[in-house]
Every structure is written in C-alpha cells, then in structure tokens.
Amino acid sequence: MDTRLIENEYLQAEISDVGAEPVFLWDKGARRNVLWRGDDHFWGRHAPVLFPNVGRHFGDVFRHKGQVYSLSQHGFARDRVFTCVAEQPNSLSLQLVSDDATRENYPFPFVLTVTHQAVGHQLVTIWQVRNTGNEPMYFTIGGHPAFVLLKNDLAMDHYYLKIEGSGAGGLTVVRIDPKAGNPLPGVTEDWALTDGRLPLTDALFEADAIILDNHQIDRISLVHNSGDRLVTVDAGGFPNFGIWSKPGAPFVCLEPWVGRTDDAGFTGELSEKPGIITLDAGETFEARYAIEL
C-alpha cells in the first residue's frame, strides 16, 4: 500500500493510493492519532469513500434500463488504486477513472477525484464526480471515517456525541433491520436528546448503523465524558448521516452521506431510488466535509 503525506502546522495526514482514504491523522497539538488504524478483528478500514453506492442495494443488485447489475456494499472505489494527479505539501488529489472492470458492475463512465487538504485545524475532503458519458448517471456517495477512542480509556460508555443542527433537540433514526439487511421503509424511531448529547454505548450498534435522513447533522463531535473533545466532523449540507461501530470496538464512525442504503424491498430502477444523485452528461458533482481537530 503506497501512501503520501500532507501536513501543516496543526496536523499531518497519511493518504493511501488504495481507495484515496486517510489511514493516519496526527493531531500535533494533542500529540495523538485520531483515526482508527484498522484491525480485521473489528474493521480493517480507516476512512473510505463510499462510491458509487452508500450502503447496500437491496439484494446487492440494482436495475438500470431493465438490466440487473451486482454491486457490493459501499461500492468499489474503496478497493481501487487511485492515480495521483496533483500533490502539494498541504494538499493531494487522487483520481479514479471508470474502466472495463467498473463497467461490469456499474455501466456509467465517470471520473472520481478525491482531494484532501490540510486547512488550519481541519482535514478537508472534497469529492468531485464527473459524468464522462452521453447519458445521465446515478449514484450516491459518502464518507466513512472511524475515530479511535483514547488509549487510556477504551470504554464506549465514557463518551458521547455532541450534535449541532436540527437534530440537536432530538433525532429521527432509521435503523437497519438485521434480518432484512436494509431499513424497513417508513419505520423510524424518535430519540430525545438533552443539550444535543447522544450518550454512546455498545448497545447502540447491536442493530448495525444509526441512519439519519433529512439534514439532521451540521456538525458532530466525539467527546469524552470529562469534556475532552477528540474530533469534530463538519457535515453541513449533507442530507444523510451514519453513525456506526461494532460492540466492543474502540472506535466510532461519523459518516456524512449524500444518499444512503436501499430500503428493504426496493426493486425499482436505480433512477427511481429515493435520494439518488442524478448527474447529466458532461456535468460535475462536488461535495466536501471536514475533520476538525
């Protein structure tokens, strides 16, 4: 795995050519790494980009123009080797271009460019998707950064999430049904919050990820019960958001998404999927989020 470094006076990030994902993020002020380093016992990734699908298509297939295509959970970009197209001491752009292999499972021509920038106390990630075909393309895209708990305190219930945005007063949660592997359509839970705080416990993740629709999260911080803020994700403008860990794992994922996993039972055309991004021929889509130390 080849990696490249970017940094400024506040942070240093190590970016892998595989998946264009950060694999290490050093907070120079706190003198600690904030990203999960990967462990297959729990989860072997770090902060992948989810493209061309966030989550799972129902039955791991989608339909386009009457044809059925197989596509695995979270898409293929996270496992592909990207090409470096621009590199500066504090920024890096990596690119993935569609090819015969991608078109077997996803029939759209595209260029995906992932840029990481060290800007003050933030690692900013920018996604650009360009439709290089002659017809509209359809996709969802998201981030999946995992943040490690403090080395001297790995108990999940010693932390909480501080939420800023419309969800600060209470969350409307879409939960994944373990039997279906996808959310049940129209089934949600209302979670009351006090002062925007969501206490963390292993039990929160027994039914897989917490899914939030309808722009509920602008900013979200991982905070120790002592008041020590470990990290903040700035996700203003993202319509969907995921929160995930595995029971017993010493990390939590804070995931800004544009679109999400299919509801259970969805068998419509990809273009009909709720929340799908439609990108016309020759057009470019862009979204960005920031990890703030």
Side-chain angles (χ1 to χ4, degrees), residues 14 17-18 20 28-29 57 61 65 71 79 90 116 124 129 149 164 181 184 206 222 254 272 283:
E14 185 178 348
D17 289 351
V18 177
K28 293 183 178 182
H57 290 298
V61 299
K65 293 185 175 181
L71 196 56
D79 295 315
N90 64 348
H116 300 287
V124 179
V129 181
L149 306 182
E164 301 172 55
L184 297 174
E206 289 178 351
L222 175 61
L254 305 177
E272 301 170 337
E283 297 296 316

Side-chain angles (χ1 to χ4, degrees), residues 93-104:
S93 292
L94 299 165
Q95 197 168 83
L96 176 67
V97 179
S98 58
D99 55 23
D100 290 343
T102 66
R103 284 189 286 271
E104 286 185 9

Side-chain angles (χ1 to χ4, degrees), residues 43 46 144-147 205 241-245 251-255:
W43 189 58
H46 315 272
H144 200 317
F147 302 106
F205 307 106
F241 201 90
I243 304 169
W244 177 76
S245 187
F251 67 84
V252 60
C253 295
L254 305 177
E255 310 176 35

Side-chain angles (χ1 to χ4, degrees), residues 26 31 49 206 220 235 257 283 287:
W26 184 254
R31 298 191 58 78
V49 56
E206 289 178 351
I220 186 167
W257 302 333
E283 297 296 316

